[in-house]
Coordinates of all heavy atoms in Angstrom, one line a residue:
E1 N 39.5 88.9 89.0 CA 40.5 89.9 88.7 C 39.8 91.3 88.5 O 40.3 92.3 89.0 CB 41.4 89.5 87.5 CG 42.4 88.5 87.9 CD 43.4 88.9 88.9 OE1 43.9 90.0 88.9 OE2 43.6 88.1 89.8
L2 N 38.8 91.3 87.7 CA 38.1 92.5 87.5 C 37.4 93.1 88.7 O 37.5 94.3 89.0 CB 36.9 92.3 86.4 CG 37.4 92.1 85.0 CD1 36.2 91.6 84.2 CD2 38.0 93.3 84.4
N3 N 36.9 92.2 89.6 CA 36.3 92.6 90.8 C 37.3 93.2 91.7 O 37.1 94.2 92.4 CB 35.6 91.4 91.5 CG 34.5 91.8 92.4 OD1 33.9 92.9 92.4 ND2 34.1 90.9 93.3
K4 N 38.5 92.6 91.8 CA 39.6 93.1 92.6 C 40.1 94.5 92.1 O 40.2 95.5 92.8 CB 40.7 92.2 92.6 CG 41.9 92.5 93.4 CD 43.0 91.5 93.3 CE 44.2 91.9 94.1 NZ 45.3 90.9 94.0
Q5 N 40.2 94.6 90.8 CA 40.8 95.8 90.2 C 39.8 97.0 90.3 O 40.2 98.1 90.6 CB 41.1 95.6 88.7 CG 41.6 96.8 88.0 CD 41.8 96.5 86.5 OE1 41.7 95.4 86.0 NE2 42.1 97.6 85.7
W6 N 38.5 96.8 90.1 CA 37.6 97.9 90.0 C 36.7 98.1 91.2 O 36.2 99.2 91.4 CB 36.6 97.7 88.8 CG 37.4 97.8 87.5 CD1 37.8 96.7 86.7 CD2 37.9 99.0 86.9 NE1 38.6 97.2 85.6 CE2 38.6 98.6 85.7 CE3 37.8 100.3 87.2 CZ2 39.2 99.5 84.9 CZ3 38.4 101.2 86.4 CH2 39.1 100.8 85.2
R7 N 36.6 97.1 92.1 CA 35.7 97.2 93.2 C 36.5 96.9 94.5 O 35.9 96.9 95.6 CB 34.5 96.3 93.1 CG 33.6 96.6 92.0 CD 32.4 95.7 91.8 NE 31.5 95.9 93.0 CZ 31.0 94.9 93.7 NH1 31.3 93.6 93.4 NH2 30.2 95.1 94.7
N8 N 37.8 96.6 94.4 CA 38.6 96.3 95.5 C 38.1 95.1 96.3 O 38.2 95.1 97.6 CB 38.8 97.5 96.4 CG 40.1 97.4 97.2 OD1 41.1 96.8 96.8 ND2 40.1 98.1 98.4
K9 N 37.5 94.1 95.6 CA 36.9 92.9 96.3 C 37.6 91.7 95.6 O 37.3 91.4 94.5 CB 35.4 92.9 96.1 CG 34.7 94.0 96.9 CD 33.2 93.8 96.8 CE 32.6 94.9 97.7 NZ 31.2 94.7 97.8
N10 N 38.5 91.1 96.4 CA 39.2 90.0 95.8 C 38.5 88.6 95.9 O 38.9 87.8 96.7 CB 40.6 89.9 96.5 CG 41.6 88.9 95.8 OD1 41.3 88.6 94.7 ND2 42.6 88.5 96.5
M11 N 37.4 88.5 95.2 CA 36.6 87.3 95.2 C 35.8 87.3 93.9 O 35.5 88.4 93.3 CB 35.7 87.2 96.4 CG 34.7 88.4 96.4 SD 33.8 88.3 98.0 CE 32.5 89.5 97.7
P12 N 35.5 86.1 93.4 CA 34.6 86.1 92.2 C 33.2 86.6 92.5 O 32.8 86.5 93.6 CB 34.6 84.6 91.8 CG 35.1 83.8 93.0 CD 35.8 84.8 93.9
T13 N 32.6 87.1 91.5 CA 31.2 87.6 91.6 C 30.4 87.1 90.4 O 31.0 86.5 89.5 CB 31.1 89.1 91.7 OG1 29.8 89.5 92.1 CG2 31.6 89.8 90.5
D14 N 29.1 87.2 90.4 CA 28.3 86.7 89.3 C 28.3 87.6 88.1 O 28.4 87.2 87.0 CB 26.9 86.3 89.8 CG 26.2 87.4 90.5 OD1 26.8 88.6 90.7 OD2 25.1 87.2 91.1
V15 N 28.1 88.9 88.4 CA 28.0 89.9 87.3 C 28.7 91.2 87.7 O 28.6 91.6 88.8 CB 26.5 90.1 86.9 CG1 25.7 90.6 88.0 CG2 26.4 90.9 85.6
L16 N 29.3 91.8 86.7 CA 29.9 93.1 86.8 C 29.4 94.0 85.6 O 29.4 93.5 84.5 CB 31.4 93.1 86.8 CG 32.1 92.6 88.1 CD1 33.6 92.5 87.9 CD2 31.8 93.5 89.3
S17 N 29.0 95.2 85.9 CA 28.6 96.1 84.9 C 29.5 97.4 84.9 O 29.8 97.9 86.0 CB 27.2 96.5 85.1 OG 26.3 95.4 85.1
F18 N 29.8 97.8 83.7 CA 30.6 99.0 83.6 C 29.9 100.0 82.6 O 29.7 99.6 81.5 CB 32.0 98.7 83.1 CG 32.8 97.8 84.0 CD1 32.8 96.5 83.8 CD2 33.5 98.4 85.1 CE1 33.6 95.6 84.7 CE2 34.2 97.6 86.0 CZ 34.2 96.2 85.8
C19 N 29.5 101.1 83.2 CA 28.8 102.1 82.3 C 30.0 102.8 81.5 O 31.1 103.0 82.1 CB 28.1 103.1 83.2 SG 27.2 104.3 82.3
A20 N 29.7 103.1 80.3 CA 30.8 103.6 79.4 C 31.5 104.9 80.0 O 32.7 104.9 80.1 CB 30.3 103.9 78.0
L21 N 30.7 105.8 80.3 CA 31.2 107.0 81.0 C 30.2 107.6 81.9 O 29.4 108.4 81.6 CB 31.6 108.1 79.9 CG 32.9 107.9 79.2 CD1 33.0 109.0 78.1 CD2 34.1 107.9 80.1
E22 N 30.2 107.0 83.1 CA 29.1 107.3 84.1 C 29.0 108.8 84.3 O 30.0 109.5 84.5 CB 29.4 106.6 85.4 CG 28.2 105.9 85.9 CD 28.6 105.0 87.1 OE1 29.4 104.1 86.8 OE2 28.1 105.2 88.1
G23 N 27.8 109.3 84.1 CA 27.5 110.7 84.4 C 27.9 111.6 83.3 O 27.7 112.8 83.3
E24 N 28.4 111.1 82.2 CA 28.8 111.9 81.0 C 28.1 111.4 79.8 O 27.4 110.4 79.8 CB 30.3 111.9 80.9 CG 31.1 112.4 82.1 CD 32.6 112.3 81.9 OE1 33.0 112.3 80.7 OE2 33.3 112.2 82.9
Q25 N 28.4 112.1 78.7 CA 27.8 111.7 77.4 C 28.4 110.4 77.0 O 29.6 110.2 77.2 CB 28.1 112.8 76.3 CG 27.5 112.5 75.0 CD 26.0 112.6 75.0 OE1 25.4 113.1 75.9 NE2 25.4 112.1 73.9
F26 N 27.6 109.5 76.5 CA 28.2 108.2 76.1 C 29.0 108.4 74.9 O 28.7 109.2 74.0 CB 27.0 107.2 75.8 CG 26.3 106.8 76.9 CD1 24.9 107.1 77.1 CD2 26.8 105.9 77.9 CE1 24.2 106.7 78.2 CE2 26.1 105.5 79.0 CZ 24.8 105.9 79.1
P27 N 30.2 107.7 74.8 CA 31.0 107.8 73.6 C 30.3 107.2 72.4 O 29.4 106.3 72.5 CB 32.3 107.0 73.9 CG 31.9 106.1 75.0 CD 30.7 106.7 75.7
K28 N 30.7 107.6 71.2 CA 30.0 107.1 69.9 C 31.0 106.3 69.1 O 32.2 106.6 69.1 CB 29.5 108.3 69.1 CG 28.4 109.0 69.8 CD 27.7 110.0 68.9 CE 26.7 110.9 69.6 NZ 25.4 110.5 69.5
T29 N 30.5 105.3 68.4 CA 31.3 104.6 67.4 C 30.4 104.6 66.1 O 29.4 105.2 66.1 CB 31.4 103.1 67.9 OG1 30.2 102.5 67.8 CG2 32.0 103.0 69.2
D30 N 30.9 103.9 65.1 CA 30.2 103.9 63.9 C 28.8 103.2 64.1 O 27.9 103.4 63.3 CB 31.0 103.1 62.8 CG 32.2 103.8 62.4 OD1 32.3 105.1 62.6 OD2 33.1 103.2 61.8
E31 N 28.7 102.4 65.1 CA 27.5 101.6 65.4 C 26.6 102.3 66.4 O 25.6 101.8 66.8 CB 27.8 100.2 65.9 CG 28.6 99.4 64.9 CD 29.1 98.1 65.4 OE1 29.0 97.9 66.7 OE2 29.6 97.3 64.6
G32 N 27.0 103.5 66.8 CA 26.2 104.3 67.8 C 26.9 104.4 69.1 O 28.1 104.2 69.2
Q33 N 26.2 104.8 70.1 CA 26.8 105.0 71.4 C 27.1 103.7 72.1 O 26.4 102.7 71.9 CB 25.8 105.7 72.3 CG 25.3 107.1 71.9 CD 24.3 107.7 72.8 OE1 24.7 108.3 73.8 NE2 23.0 107.5 72.5
I34 N 28.2 103.7 72.8 CA 28.6 102.6 73.6 C 28.0 102.9 75.0 O 28.4 103.8 75.6 CB 30.1 102.4 73.7 CG1 30.7 102.2 72.3 CG2 30.5 101.3 74.7 CD1 32.2 102.2 72.3
L35 N 27.1 102.0 75.4 CA 26.4 102.2 76.7 C 27.2 101.6 77.8 O 27.2 102.2 78.9 CB 25.0 101.7 76.6 CG 24.1 102.3 75.6 CD1 22.7 101.6 75.6 CD2 24.0 103.8 75.7
G36 N 27.8 100.5 77.6 CA 28.5 99.8 78.7 C 28.8 98.4 78.4 O 28.6 97.9 77.3
E37 N 29.4 97.7 79.4 CA 29.9 96.4 79.2 C 29.4 95.6 80.4 O 29.5 96.1 81.6 CB 31.4 96.4 79.1 CG 32.0 95.1 78.6 CD 33.4 95.3 78.2 OE1 34.1 96.2 78.6 OE2 33.9 94.5 77.3
I38 N 29.0 94.4 80.2 CA 28.5 93.5 81.3 C 29.4 92.2 81.2 O 29.5 91.6 80.1 CB 27.0 93.1 81.1 CG1 26.1 94.4 81.1 CG2 26.6 92.1 82.2 CD1 24.7 94.1 80.7
F39 N 29.9 91.8 82.3 CA 30.7 90.6 82.4 C 29.9 89.6 83.3 O 29.4 90.0 84.4 CB 32.0 90.8 83.1 CG 33.0 91.6 82.3 CD1 32.9 92.9 82.2 CD2 33.9 90.9 81.5 CE1 33.8 93.6 81.4 CE2 34.8 91.6 80.7 CZ 34.8 93.0 80.7
I40 N 29.7 88.4 82.8 CA 29.0 87.3 83.6 C 29.9 86.1 83.7 O 30.4 85.6 82.7 CB 27.6 86.9 82.9 CG1 26.7 88.1 83.0 CG2 27.1 85.7 83.7 CD1 25.3 87.8 82.3
S41 N 30.1 85.7 84.9 CA 30.9 84.5 85.2 C 29.9 83.3 85.0 O 29.0 83.1 85.8 CB 31.5 84.4 86.6 OG 31.9 83.1 86.8
T42 N 30.1 82.5 83.9 CA 29.3 81.3 83.7 C 29.5 80.3 84.8 O 28.5 79.6 85.2 CB 29.5 80.7 82.3 OG1 30.9 80.4 82.2 CG2 29.0 81.6 81.2
E43 N 30.7 80.2 85.4 CA 30.9 79.3 86.5 C 30.0 79.7 87.7 O 29.4 78.8 88.3 CB 32.4 79.4 87.0 CG 33.3 78.6 86.1 CD 34.7 78.7 86.6 OE1 35.1 77.9 87.6 OE2 35.5 79.6 86.1
K44 N 30.0 81.0 88.1 CA 29.2 81.4 89.2 C 27.7 81.3 88.9 O 26.9 80.9 89.7 CB 29.6 82.9 89.5 CG 29.1 83.4 90.8 CD 29.8 82.6 91.9 CE 30.1 83.5 93.1 NZ 30.5 82.7 94.2
A45 N 27.4 81.6 87.6 CA 26.0 81.4 87.2 C 25.5 80.0 87.4 O 24.4 79.7 87.8 CB 25.8 81.9 85.8
K46 N 26.3 79.1 87.0 CA 26.0 77.6 87.2 C 25.8 77.3 88.6 O 24.8 76.6 89.0 CB 27.1 76.7 86.6 CG 27.1 76.7 85.1 CD 28.2 75.8 84.5 CE 28.3 75.9 83.0 NZ 29.5 75.2 82.5

């Protein structure tokens, strides 16, 4: 679903990475900058 929504590829993939704000200043939280989010399909990894 994420691959379809963000990459227009309607198939499972092993890993997807999303940079917090590509090309811009990273947003900040109480814990510091949010650099990004990584999704890993454990099914695909297996």
Side-chain angles (χ1 to χ4, degrees):
E1 284 299 315
L2 289 169
N3 204 19
K4 181 179 176 184
Q5 178 182 354
W6 295 101
R7 298 180 64 229
N8 204 27
K9 295 186 178 189
N10 191 16
M11 60 187 191
T13 189
D14 50 6
V15 61
L16 288 173
S17 300
F18 298 96
C19 187
L21 284 175
E22 227 167 299
E24 299 180 25
Q25 185 67 13
F26 292 112
K28 293 189 188 263
T29 68
D30 292 340
E31 298 172 350
Q33 299 179 85
I34 299 170
L35 302 179
E37 195 164 27
I38 300 168
F39 290 82
I40 294 176
S41 168
T42 53
E43 285 180 80
K44 196 64 141 169
K46 284 177 185 175

